[in-house]
Amino acid sequence: MKTRAGYETGLDKFNRIGTATNWGFHLIFILLALLCLVPVLVVLSISLTGEESIRNEGYRILPAAISGEAYQYIARQGQMITRALGVSVLVTALGTVLGVVLTTSMGYVLSRPNYKLKGLLTWIVFIPMVFNGGLVSSYYINSNMLGLKDTVWALILPLAVSSFNVIICKTFFRSTIPDALIESAEIDGAGQLRIYCSIVLPISLPVLATIGLFLCFAYWNDWFQSMLYIDNQNLYSLQALLNSLMSNVDALARNASSMGISYAELVATMPKESARMAVAIVIVVPVAIAYPFFQKYFISGLTIGAVKG
């Protein structure tokens, strides 16, 4: 055992990581990063490969014959792609804002120790994390009782609030916002809404960014709600359109009449595989560009909210 001036105590040696172990962790993380990156590179490669080359050579990381026909085809489908992209952007923007407001306000209320219904409502929020009400019941409520079918709200409201996100917010507020700060504001005559908007939210940027990023990813990548509730193709999101392309090339062919060509001509000239992958790239690029700007807040909010429950 040694003193503090540059010496180790009895248990300090167990907190140190050796050089070989450190390199081992680096290699593991590099391999994991490659496992995430390689599929994206394959999709990008296919989107830049001609249909004839795909049929002859198959899928490759490096395209055998580079071709931009898939992106040219997407550009020619400007009306349909633009409409689907607009729906995705609208749903993501509205859903993220609404979800952040509802989730953080609910988490703040449940974090207050003097709130009388805190225990009951915490259980009500926690139970759906363990037991799901089922697809039939949710479909009946959203479609028949609330009348959301074939509306944009059917893509927004079912995903707006998650029990997991509420628990993260509750834990963050309880462990980060001092009770003395809230009590001093109450003594000065501030109401709970004023405290929440003027004091709590400005110092809660990490959890706001974390929940916002969770919701943004969920809305942007969602296609299941469209499959359940949307019959009108004008309300298809970009992800729902991609799902239709993956399952049936007729999703694009239905628009042949509006483009002034026949169904047979469209199917004959459509770059099927490369077009699907090009749409996937169009979906991935906005999220990949936005994520680095939120990463700092995302990691901070997630780790703080995970300290204790």
Side-chain angles (χ1 to χ4, degrees), residues 251-309:
L252 284 178
R254 293 191 189 101
N255 296 272
S257 59
S258 63
M259 293 181 290
I261 59 176
S262 67
Y263 173 90
E265 291 173 336
L266 180 66
V267 173
T269 59
M270 184 169 58
K272 302 178 181 63
E273 292 297 324
S274 56
R276 295 173 184 176
M277 300 305 173
V279 174
I281 292 296
V282 171
I283 292 173
V284 169
V285 165
V287 175
I289 293 175
Y291 180 77
F293 298 98
F294 294 92
Q295 184 178 12
K296 178 179 68 174
Y297 295 110
F298 173 74
I299 296 175
S300 174
L302 190 60
T303 52
I304 292 176
V307 172
K308 55 184 179 179

Side-chain angles (χ1 to χ4, degrees), residues 10 20 23 26 29 70 91 110 117 125 148 153 156 170 176 183 190 272-273 279 290-291 304:
W23 277 105
H26 283 310
F29 287 124
V91 168
L110 296 180
L117 298 179
V125 170
L148 300 179
W153 294 109
I156 296 176
K170 176 197 170 190
T176 305
E183 293 171 359
K272 302 178 181 63
E273 292 297 324
V279 174
Y291 180 77
I304 292 176

